[in-house]
Amino acid sequence: MSSPLNPPRRPAGFVPFALGFRPFFLAAGLFAIVLLGLWLAILLGRTASGPLAPAVWHGHEMLFGFAVAVIAGFLLTAAQNWTGIPMLSGPPLAALFLLWLAGRLGFLVPGLPVEWVALVDLAFLPAVALVLAVPIIKARQLNNAPFPVMLLVLTAANALVHLDALGWTDTAALGLHLATYVVVTMMVMMGGRVIPSFTDNKLHTRARRWKTIEILAPVATVGALLAALVAPYSLVTALFAAIAAAVHGIRLAGWYTHKFWSVPLLWILHLGYAWIAFGFALLALSAAGISAAAVSSLHAFTAGGIGVLTLGMMARVSLGHTGRVLEPASLMTRAFVAINLAALLRVVLPLIFPGVYAQSMTAAGLLWMAAFGLFVVVYAPMLLRPRVDGKPG
């Protein structure tokens, strides 16, 4: 029996492959640091980026390295809750993780055949889609069926980049934009599910969800992003993007309560979703002819939406699935501030002061690295050790 003088012993040992979030969240945090460190080195002319052009490599690894790792970790964990069917663990999960890792190393190890790098990197997302689809089909979870499909669309986007690297097409930019837009769509879908429910559960509030807005959110999102792919600089795209920005802004307003500002695990998610709404507003300006907004729109989605939301979700999911109270360490509050400052410097400052573009990129990169460095310091022990409540997973 336990007592204050004889507390229960926490399980010992290491379980890095007990459930999907463990290896992929830790790898995402570490890779976020390595990725930005190498990118800053490339900008300073101190290293090369392998078979891809530097900017293409940076975008590819941000999406298919970092973001995909977070998505895989989240989906491979969430699917167990959705379906009640145990997901990959142990050696099969380790093998899947090593496939992701091999894809990253393919771009960093010099001299590897481009064809083999492409084959290895392209194999990961279909494997995750298959692992995810089987329990979803068995449990007849039709509302979650879009996720394996979107993973396959991401595979197609990845193929467009690799075809360009092979010299067969000129489709790298299209592939990167398609991948960004698929990830944004996934975040809109998951954000609409979890952000208001997390807020209500924690604060005992009741988020307002308007039926029309909930119907329009995915429609406006997909419509605007498809228009941006087909005709990025057109009034049609500007109109669709403006509608999407308004819809997501209204959605956020319905979820808002001043109480969440006292809860870091909540305000980080709300701010992450706000970056998506801001990205659509900038996309509308870009499509309407304000060229300076084009790059800022893309980075509002990536550095802002993807960076902020993934950090917030990894922080919360890791606490919950390791049996801990949903209260992050104080260092994580600093990480949440740092990641939003990084997005501000990358997205907003170049719009206002174009002359400090290089300095803002460097400062944003360093803040990004600091944010994920703090995540690794705080969460690595949790992700490697067994749950504190002794349960599996």
Side-chain angles (χ1 to χ4, degrees):
M1 295 180 65
S2 63
S3 69
L5 296 177
N6 184 28
R9 294 179 61 185
R10 292 185 177 183
F14 293 92
V15 289
F17 299 106
L19 198 57
F21 75 99
R22 292 180 177 273
F24 286 109
F25 284 5
L26 181 55
L30 290 168
F31 190 63
I33 303 167
V34 172
L35 174 60
L36 263 292
L38 290 174
W39 177 234
L40 293 178
I42 290 171
L43 293 178
L44 294 172
R46 295 180 181 177
T47 185
S49 59
L52 299 177
V56 175
W57 172 83
H58 169 64
H60 181 275
E61 291 304 276
M62 177 68 75
L63 293 163
F64 297 104
F66 167 74
V68 158
V70 180
I71 290 168
F74 178 83
L75 291 177
L76 292 173
T77 302
Q80 185 163 289
N81 291 339
W82 296 341
T83 65
I85 298 172
M87 295 299 291
L88 283 189
S89 63
L93 178 59
L96 187 63
F97 171 74
L98 288 175
L99 183 59
W100 172 87
L101 183 61
R104 313 289 57 79
L105 294 176
F107 292 100
L108 299 177
V109 176
L112 294 177
V114 179
E115 295 84 358
W116 284 106
V117 173
L119 285 173
V120 171
D121 189 46
L122 286 169
F124 177 71
L125 281 166
V128 177
L130 178 62
V131 170
L132 190 65
V134 170
I136 287 176
I137 292 171
K138 284 184 177 179
R140 299 181 181 179
Q141 292 271 333
L142 295 181
N143 60 320
N144 293 313
F147 290 107
V149 175
M150 286 191 284
L151 292 177
L152 295 179
V153 178
L154 276 177
T155 304
N158 196 10
L160 291 174
V161 180
H162 282 288
L163 288 172
D164 193 308
L166 289 165
W168 298 353
T169 64
D170 184 21
T171 52
L174 175 62
L176 293 179
H177 278 85
L178 175 59
T180 300
Y181 296 160
V182 172
V183 174
V184 168
T185 303
M186 295 179 82
M187 293 192 300
V188 166
M189 289 180 62
M190 290 310 306
R193 291 186 188 185
V194 304
I195 296 174
S197 63
F198 287 171
T199 304
D200 289 349
N201 292 341
K202 176 67 177 180
L203 302 176
H204 306 291
T205 53
R206 187 173 182 180
R208 289 171 291 176
R209 303 193 197 199
W210 297 284
K211 186 176 180 179
T212 302
I213 293 298
E214 292 304 309
I215 293 173
L216 282 175
V219 174
T221 298
V222 174
L225 297 178
L226 283 176
L229 282 175
V230 175
Y233 304 107
S234 67
L235 290 179
V236 172
T237 299
L239 177 61
F240 272 99
I243 292 172
V247 167
H248 291 301
I250 295 169
R251 204 182 195 195
L252 266 174
W255 302 343
Y256 182 80
T257 168
H258 69 277
K259 295 179 181 179
F260 71 58
W261 291 112
S262 63
V263 184
L265 283 178
L266 292 179
W267 61 251
I268 186 66
L269 299 179
H270 285 262
L271 287 181
Y273 200 93
W275 278 110
I276 295 176
F278 188 44
F280 278 109
L282 290 173
L283 181 62
L285 294 176
S286 171
I290 302 176
S291 57
V295 174
S296 290
S297 169
L298 182 64
H299 286 91
F301 288 139
T302 54
I306 295 175
V308 175
L309 270 177
T310 53
L311 185 61
M313 286 302 298
M314 287 195 299
R316 192 188 192 283
V317 170
S318 298
L319 289 174
H321 282 276
T322 56
R324 289 171 168 83
V325 177
L326 297 176
E327 295 291 342
S330 59
L331 283 178
M332 284 309 298
T333 302
R334 299 174 189 178
F336 295 161
V337 172
I339 195 66
N340 279 284
L341 286 176
L344 280 170
L345 288 174
R346 186 64 187 86
V347 176
V348 178
L349 195 62
L351 280 175
I352 303 173
F353 304 107
V356 298
Y357 183 80
Q359 296 90 327
S360 66
M361 283 181 62
T362 301
L366 292 173
L367 282 167
W368 171 284
M369 294 170 68
F372 284 97
L374 290 172
F375 171 80
V376 171
V377 168
V378 172
Y379 280 88
M382 304 182 201
L383 295 171
L384 294 172
R385 296 282 189 179
R387 289 179 60 118
V388 295
D389 56 10
K391 295 180 180 179

